Amino acid sequence: MASALSSSLSTRYPSPSKVTELSGVITTGASTSKIGKGALFQFDCSADSVSVTINGKEAGEVNGKGIGTAFCGIYLDEKGVSKGLKEDLKENWGE
């Protein structure tokens, strides 16, 4: 999962070092939490940060101008991975 998110984020965010840092937070957090099937990953974003929680345990946070906005773009921008999610959000939350 970290690899797929990093790949998507790298096309939206100009700092390879921050993308790598976020991937490390996810990977390290996942190995520390000994995740299995059904693990819950939570990504909290502000415009300039992404914090990662795995199964209720804080894994870490990455800060960088616009990184949270870029991360949300993985799901919500015009190249987003899930058109169904965008449509569902529009229908239930408005534009």
Side-chain angles (χ1 to χ4, degrees), residues 4-88:
L5 287 172
S6 294
S7 178
S8 292
L9 184 58
S10 68
T11 65
R12 294 168 170 83
Y13 193 68
S15 173
S17 65
K18 292 294 182 179
V19 172
T20 300
E21 184 181 349
L22 181 58
S23 181
V25 166
I26 296 167
T27 302
T28 302
S31 65
T32 302
S33 296
K34 299 178 181 160
I35 64 162
K37 187 175 181 176
L40 177 65
F41 286 78
Q42 178 177 326
F43 300 93
D44 293 308
C45 302
S46 69
D48 299 328
S49 71
V50 178
S51 63
V52 182
T53 303
I54 303 171
N55 289 333
K57 182 179 178 189
E58 248 183 68
E61 180 176 46
V62 176
N63 297 292
K65 185 163 178 59
I67 194 166
T69 302
F71 186 88
C72 289
I74 294 170
Y75 299 94
L76 300 174
D77 69 14
E78 64 280 348
K79 300 180 292 180
V81 297
S82 174
K83 287 188 180 234
L85 173 64
K86 284 173 51 174
E87 293 306 314
D88 186 53

